């Protein structure tokens, strides 16, 4: 399993904690570190950079962290084919994958502490998309998205 990750300046500390946590579990993690390419980039550009990679490379596990998790989820969801959700509890994190099949988990460094963030990440990574009754709803999201992106 490979996970890509990035954060804005409000969340560099939590990003480091999550990267170290994933590495300690033997999970391959790639920190895109968009601010090393564009130092003044704020959450919209950082999130957009990661979401485009998820779309272009058809990745299915990515994490974005900002102050609240909100801005990162909003921008990631603007990229066609990318589904992102903010999670600050374990149940939502499990459902984000099992029911909603989102490729991108977002969190807020100003909302969750380090230990809870690690538990949220674990729950999301351990969950698998369940299909079944959720499949029709997820397919409907994809179909409506296509309609919305139509020029
Ligand atoms: C700080 O720029 C803050 O607005 C940002 O990290 C995030 O919380 C936005 O949603």
């Amino acid at each position: 399993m490979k996970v890509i990750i990035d954060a804005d300046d409000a969340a560099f500390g939590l990003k480091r904690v999550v990267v170290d946590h994933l590495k300690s579990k033997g999970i391959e993690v790639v920190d895109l570190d968009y601010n090393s390419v564009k130092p003044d980039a704020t959450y919209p550009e950082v999130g957009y950079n990661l979401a485009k990679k998820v779309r272009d490379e058809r990745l299915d596990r990515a994490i974005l962290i900002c102050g609240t998790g909100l801005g990162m989820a909003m921008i990631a969801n603007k990229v066609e084919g990318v589904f992102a959700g903010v999670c600050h509890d374990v149940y939502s994190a499990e459902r984000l994958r099992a029911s909603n099949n989102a490729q991108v988990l977002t969190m807020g460094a100003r909302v969750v502490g380090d230990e809870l963030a690690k538990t949220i990440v674990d729950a999301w990574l351990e969950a698998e998309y369940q299909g079944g009754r959720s499949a029709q709803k997820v397919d409907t999201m994809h179909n409506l998205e296509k309609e919305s992106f139509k020029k």
Side-chain angles (χ1 to χ4, degrees):
M1 180 191 290
K2 177 172 125 182
V3 178
I4 63 170
I5 189 167
D6 213 344
D8 73 356
D9 62 342
F12 289 155
L14 183 55
K15 179 173 75 168
R16 186 77 258 147
V17 167
V18 173
V19 166
D20 290 347
H21 177 63
L22 293 173
K23 284 185 176 165
S24 77
K25 291 167 70 98
I27 294 171
E28 184 189 355
V29 51
V30 178
D31 180 359
L32 301 185
D33 195 13
Y34 191 59
N35 281 113
S36 68
V37 179
K38 190 166 189 281
D40 64 349
T42 54
Y43 73 83
E45 293 165 288
V46 174
Y48 189 63
N49 176 62
L50 177 141
K52 273 193 310 176
K53 209 171 167 59
V54 168
R55 177 196 64 195
D56 295 345
E57 297 178 22
R58 296 180 167 275
L59 303 177
D60 75 340
R61 293 289 188 176
I63 298 170
L64 282 168
I65 314 174
C66 60
T68 58
L70 297 170
M72 287 297 197
M74 291 165 78
I75 190 64
N77 279 310
K78 297 265 179 257
V79 176
E80 191 170 8
V82 176
F83 289 84
V86 192
C87 293
H88 291 132
D89 68 275
V90 169
Y91 178 72
S92 300
E94 194 261 329
R95 288 291 105 195
L96 181 68
R97 187 61 184 196
S99 300
N100 306 110
N101 203 21
Q103 310 102 318
V104 184
L105 165 71
T106 79
M107 295 184 292
R110 295 174 181 160
V111 182
V112 282
D114 293 356
E115 295 310 312
L116 178 55
K118 287 192 254 180
T119 312
I120 287 167
V121 167
D122 288 348
W124 179 69
L125 287 178
E126 280 158 24
E128 286 301 338
Y129 178 48
Q130 65 192 12
R133 286 177 44 204
S134 296
Q136 197 188 349
K137 298 164 199 166
V138 171
D139 289 348
T140 301
M141 283 203 292
H142 282 286
N143 291 337
L144 291 173
E145 184 192 44
K146 276 192 201 112
E147 190 180 305
S148 164
F149 274 89
K150 225 185 278 170
K151 300 235 164 56

